[in-house]
Amino acid sequence: MFKLNDPLDDRVTIDGEERPIYMAFDNVMNALETFDDQELSEADRLYIFLGIMLHDYDQELISTLDFETQVDVGKQIIDQINSEPIENQPVDLEGNPMPQPKRDGEQLVSFLFDAKYIYAAFMQAYGIDLIEQQGSLHWSKFSALLNALPDNTLMRQIIDIRKTDLSEIKDKDEKKRIKKLKQQFSLGNKANEEGGDMYG
């Protein structure tokens, strides 16, 4: 949980020892991308995910951990990522958004396809250049800022369009307008055609 009176000291417990994990926002995105690679086995995806998130941790030692321990460590890391999920939708150990009530399952954010909108929104709202912040801006800070984007940013408007339930719109012209926007900014076709790291 993001707390102003606690330091961002991210650790997991491996065989009774605490080890640091690397929670820079771009590193978390890289780690979550590993779950998109369907050519790799589940074990290989998990191994790569751990290697990215543990960063400076000895890779040889990771390979000596049995699969059950690797899964446990992976769950600990996912729990930390989910402490500040994008748009309040956590992911599971395979990187898939966990289902939430009253949602049609459509993805709200893709770090791949929405990258330019996210970048522009951070510059517009906060004066933060995300390229310059790679390797330093913590995931919890990034998530909090992304979730709190003001309404005048295009990325916030896109998220709100994706979240809109057309059945709740009474005005025909407005419904037609929002439907067109939902199609324009839909991630469904892009994900099916090209893949990409989605995050609900």
Side-chain angles (χ1 to χ4, degrees):
M1 176 184 288
F2 188 86
K3 293 178 70 178
L4 295 176
N5 58 334
D6 281 345
L8 294 171
D9 184 22
D10 307 292
R11 297 178 179 276
V12 291
T13 303
I14 302 174
D15 290 337
E17 290 186 45
E18 286 195 339
R19 303 284 182 173
I21 55 175
Y22 185 34
M23 290 289 285
F25 80 97
D26 52 309
N27 194 66
V28 172
M29 290 179 186
N30 288 336
L32 291 173
E33 274 183 12
T34 63
F35 296 117
D36 288 338
D37 192 343
Q38 299 304 312
E39 293 181 9
L40 297 174
S41 69
E42 180 183 352
D44 287 341
R45 290 195 299 268
L46 177 58
Y47 180 82
I48 294 169
F49 172 80
L50 293 177
I52 293 170
M53 291 304 299
L54 292 165
H55 194 50
D56 293 328
Y57 190 46
D58 188 342
Q59 296 294 311
E60 289 183 24
L61 191 49
I62 295 174
S63 64
T64 66
L65 301 175
D66 60 50
F67 185 68
E68 187 176 313
T69 303
Q70 289 184 14
V71 169
D72 174 66
V73 174
K75 285 181 179 176
Q76 290 181 60
I77 294 170
I78 289 293
D79 285 345
Q80 294 206 36
I81 293 171
N82 284 339
S83 69
E84 292 300 326
I86 303 301
E87 282 298 300
N88 300 314
Q89 181 154 345
V91 295
D92 61 19
L93 189 54
E94 295 180 356
N96 299 313
M98 294 170 66
Q100 298 290 295
K102 297 182 181 178
R103 283 281 305 279
D104 61 6
E106 181 178 5
Q107 300 303 302
L108 298 179
V109 178
S110 163
F111 297 135
L112 177 62
F113 298 116
D114 294 329
K116 61 186 176 185
Y117 305 128
I118 295 170
Y119 177 85
F122 271 63
M123 284 294 287
Q124 176 185 339
Y126 311 119
I128 295 174
D129 185 323
L130 287 175
I131 303 302
E132 292 177 359
Q133 290 296 315
Q134 289 176 355
S136 60
L137 181 64
H138 192 281
W139 172 256
S140 293
K141 295 178 184 179
F142 170 80
S143 299
L145 292 169
L146 182 56
N147 287 335
L149 284 173
D151 292 338
N152 67 341
T153 60
L154 181 56
M155 188 67 238
R156 169 50 57 196
Q157 293 166 15
I158 290 171
I159 291 170
D160 289 343
I161 288 165
R162 289 174 181 157
K163 286 174 25 174
T164 300
D165 184 348
L166 289 173
S167 67
E168 294 179 2
I169 301 174
K170 305 300 181 202
D171 182 88
K172 287 184 179 180
D173 290 336
E174 179 65 4
K175 186 180 237 180
K176 183 178 179 181
R177 184 182 77 83
I178 296 297
K179 183 176 182 180
K180 184 177 180 180
L181 289 170
K182 283 179 77 71
Q183 290 171 341
Q184 179 182 346
F185 293 113
S186 172
L187 293 170
N189 292 338
K190 294 177 182 175
N192 292 335
E193 290 170 11
E194 304 178 46
D197 51 331
M198 304 296 227
Y199 203 89

